[in-house]
Amino acid sequence: MSSPDITYLEREAVAAVMQTSRLSMGPEVEAFEAAVSRYVGIKHAIAVSSGTAGLHLAVRALGITDGDWVITTPFSFAASTNVLLYERAIPVFVDVDPDTGNINTDLMAAAAADLIAGGKKASRWLPRQGKEPTGILRALLPVDVFGQAADYDSIQAISAEHDLRVIEDSCEALGAQYKGRQAGTLGDIGVFAFYPNKQITTAEGAMVVTDRDDVAELIRALRNQGRAPGDKWLDHTHLGYNYRLDEMSAALGRVQMSRLDELLQKRERVAAWYEDRLAEIPGVELLHITPTTSRMSWFVFVVRLEDGIDRKRVAEQLDEQGIPTRPYFTPIHLQRYMTDRFEYQPGDYPVTEDLSRRNLALPFSGILSETQVERVCDCLRRALES
Ligand SMILES: *Cc1c(COP(=O)(O)O)cnc(C)c1O
């Protein structure tokens, strides 16, 4: 489905760390953090062991806890919701924009007003199980889906009106720009992830970014077993975690950051090949890039099959040709642990479910050749014709 783009530069940097005795908490993590904060233009960048860990620390750092409501999207990778459940907060889903798959900010605004009004109005937005309107709306957690930022002018207006914090799940959007502003910097806290299918990789790893000094200090402490500044190795001011990134991974990330523009350009070129060839294939819709996206940071290449096309059959036919595909995403509210706990049902978030039914992610990475893209498109065309 995807493939990291690793050169001798990365291999040498990782090997160099292994010549030293500093395998954790050393200069590579600091250099990697500095590279990310410089690139996105933000005060603090804190390297962590995964995107999920980073989002969890964001939730902890903002004090989101038992029964708090957080408005988020069901059209995402499960981690963006799971980190709320870890702290016993209640994710309040609103549906997404059909063009981009990003959270629908009109619905977000309506939900925020109703949740704050409380009572029956609030109940409308809550899951069947957990309807007691006793929570407090604390935050918004939009996701920048597929490398395109959500509508942050609207999100910032909602957050300002109701004094809500914003966690930006930018795990799929390093390098993307919203009206010229960097994705990840548009809320109180942003998170970029570096699993091997992302725009850059550290194998496992992620970066939390924020301009807020208090939040950065707390996240650094929580990442490192709760050690506050001044704590000795066996002192723990906070209930913390081991969410640190090791030096080898950080060295890999530092070199990948130095190549970020090259990596994004290569991904852009592959996406353009796909767009060219798929434009002529009936039954295939391409991802809509909204005017607010001044830079798309291609994460996956997802096509939307026209209503009535049997996606499973198309996927199987591609698979027989050795071409893997994925149905991006399975709605979070319909995952087994979510229906068990909150009693969600099919039909609760129709736009999300429609996208989930029709979306198909094609093989995508910056190192695909034009010939490979052509072959995928030919096979897709044939599968659709048969
Ligand atoms: C990749 C991703 C994450 C984080 O994933 P990890 O595997 O924990 O690094 C979080 N949210 C979204 C939307 C993602 O795509």
Side-chain angles (χ1 to χ4, degrees), residues 50-52 55 76-77 79-80 143 169 171-172 193 195 198 205 299:
S50 73
T52 309
L55 290 166
S76 172
F77 183 66
S80 56
V143 177
D169 180 343
C171 287
E172 302 186 352
Y195 184 74
K198 312 276 181 180
F299 166 54

Side-chain angles (χ1 to χ4, degrees), residues 121-134:
K121 280 191 157 179
S123 303
R124 280 216 294 263
W125 300 92
L126 298 173
R128 286 176 188 80
Q129 208 29 260
K131 256 199 182 347
E132 313 77 60
T134 55

Side-chain angles (χ1 to χ4, degrees), residues 182-198:
Q182 288 287 337
T185 67
L186 305 165
D188 293 271
I189 306 177
V191 182
F192 303 116
F194 309 133
Y195 184 74
N197 68 340
K198 312 276 181 180

Side-chain angles (χ1 to χ4, degrees), residues 325-344:
T325 58
R326 290 264 190 297
Y328 252 85
F329 299 102
T330 300
I332 297 174
H333 66 285
L334 297 180
Q335 300 283 355
R336 172 68 188 276
Y337 66 99
M338 293 298 287
T339 57
D340 280 355
R341 162 133 182 229
F342 294 110
E343 296 176 9
Y344 286 113

Side-chain angles (χ1 to χ4, degrees), residues 226-289:
R227 296 180 185 105
D231 278 358
K232 301 207 176 54
W233 187 250
L234 294 176
D235 292 341
H236 307 276
T237 298
H238 308 280
L239 168 63
Y241 310 87
N242 180 354
Y243 282 168
R244 296 184 302 257
L245 189 71
D246 65 77
E247 287 285 289
M248 285 78 71
S249 300
L252 174 52
R254 173 180 59 75
V255 177
Q256 289 258 291
M257 268 316 285
S258 73
R259 298 179 54 221
L260 179 57
D261 283 316
E262 172 209 331
L263 294 174
L264 293 181
Q265 276 161 22
K266 284 159 96 177
R267 296 172 83 91
E268 217 165 271
R269 195 176 55 168
V270 174
W273 291 332
Y274 265 127
E275 284 179 321
D276 265 5
R277 281 162 186 78
L278 293 175
E280 310 145 18
I281 302 185
V284 172
E285 283 169 48
L286 300 177
L287 183 73
H288 186 82
I289 298 173

Side-chain angles (χ1 to χ4, degrees), residues 288-321:
H288 186 82
I289 298 173
T290 59
T292 55
T293 299
S294 43
R295 182 172 200 184
M296 180 75 192
S297 172
W298 289 93
F299 166 54
V300 285
F301 197 91
V302 172
V303 296
R304 201 173 296 170
L305 302 182
E306 232 167 52
D307 242 346
I309 294 176
D310 183 351
R311 181 180 62 178
K312 191 155 164 277
R313 191 186 53 79
V314 171
E316 278 166 8
Q317 243 163 288
L318 289 171
D319 189 54
E320 281 163 22
Q321 304 291 314

